[in-house]
Amino acid sequence: MKFSRVLSRLLLTLGFSVAAITSQAACLDNVVMVHGNTAYPSSWNSTVSTLKSRGYIDSQIYRPSWGSKTCAACNSHDSTNTNVVKTALQQAKAASCTGKIDVIGHSMGVTLAMKAINELGYAGYVNSFVGVAGAQHGLNSCGLIQSVKNKRYGAKMYSIKSWIDEIVCSGSCYVWGSHTSNVDMQNATYDFALGHFGLQSYTTSTQATLLMN
């Protein structure tokens, strides 16, 4: 009887210990997800679901909300918008169990994230930077971007792009002889036969793999 009680207590204690361990999040880089022009943080819902299926929890994911949601022409890479992204980057880094963060942007969110990383001097704190349907080199329809060219935004940099992107490929995908969604000095790029918004919603497995790389 005495042995049974001791064994029961031991198993109960072990059970609580296992439960406590499994309830804690794995130590992963915190992720900052920057949405596109006139979009919302919820545009990343599919990506968040994929990340959660791989072990992330809500507190490890930061989704700043920036800019006008109704006037695309009103949004720019000015301090009003970059400051929102900077705050998210700072919060994610401060709370990171690894000391590093990962950053992913979609559309204008790619270049906005680049500018924020530059201004904070955070490239050394970013493990993986992923640009989805971005336009680092600008658009043929509305001008070119110089300030974010040929700089590092993380230890590893990737792009996810399409040759049928109806937004960044307006007129032509090529700007300065390269697909504008390519990230300068990128480690790899991944092409999909998807439109501008499909690249964000339907490449979540690739996004998660690159963020965890």
Side-chain angles (χ1 to χ4, degrees):
M1 291 289 292
K2 184 176 180 181
F3 176 77
S4 297
R5 287 197 297 272
V6 171
L7 182 60
S8 296
R9 289 174 183 172
L10 178 60
L11 291 173
L12 188 60
T13 301
L14 287 173
F16 278 129
S17 298
V18 171
I21 292 170
T22 56
S23 68
Q24 296 175 357
C27 185
L28 301 164
D29 297 340
N30 286 344
V31 179
V32 179
M33 317 178 88
V34 187
H35 64 72
N37 198 352
T38 67
Y40 292 84
S42 58
S43 67
W44 291 112
N45 282 354
S46 294
T47 305
V48 170
S49 294
T50 301
L51 289 176
K52 285 184 174 181
S53 74
R54 300 194 186 189
Y56 287 80
I57 61 173
D58 286 329
S59 63
Q60 294 171 314
I61 300 170
Y62 294 73
R63 292 190 277 178
S65 180
W66 64 270
S68 169
K69 309 305 181 187
T70 57
C71 177
C74 299
N75 292 326
S76 68
H77 296 76
D78 63 9
S79 60
T80 299
N81 293 325
T82 54
N83 284 345
V84 174
V85 179
K86 284 183 186 179
T87 297
L89 293 169
Q90 290 170 320
Q91 291 174 341
K93 176 182 171 293
S96 173
C97 63
T98 65
K100 301 282 187 177
I101 60 176
D102 298 314
V103 180
I104 185 169
H106 175 251
S107 191
M108 185 176 166
V110 176
T111 44
L112 193 62
M114 288 174 169
K115 192 166 188 288
I117 291 169
N118 279 343
E119 292 180 357
L120 286 174
Y122 262 31
Y125 297 113
V126 179
N127 183 30
S128 293
F129 181 93
V130 183
V132 182
Q136 183 177 12
H137 306 293
L139 303 178
N140 286 295
S141 59
C142 62
L144 310 177
I145 298 174
Q146 296 281 357
S147 64
V148 296
K149 281 180 58 63
N150 297 316
K151 294 182 173 69
R152 293 212 65 84
Y153 302 101
K156 291 163 287 187
M157 302 186 296
Y158 307 99
S159 63
I160 295 174
K161 68 182 190 294
S162 174
W163 294 93
I164 56 172
D165 187 316
E166 70 275 22
I167 304 297
V168 304
C169 290
S170 177
S172 172
C173 298
Y174 285 100
V175 180
W176 285 322
S178 173
H179 193 302
T180 190
S181 293
N182 283 327
V183 173
D184 291 336
M185 299 179 286
Q186 63 194 7
N187 293 78
T189 186
Y190 300 85
D191 294 358
F192 293 87
L194 295 166
H196 188 71
F197 301 100
L199 283 171
Q200 182 182 28
S201 299
Y202 302 120
T203 66
T204 60
S205 179
T206 300
Q207 293 171 35
T209 296
L210 296 177
L211 289 169
M212 299 179 75
N213 187 11

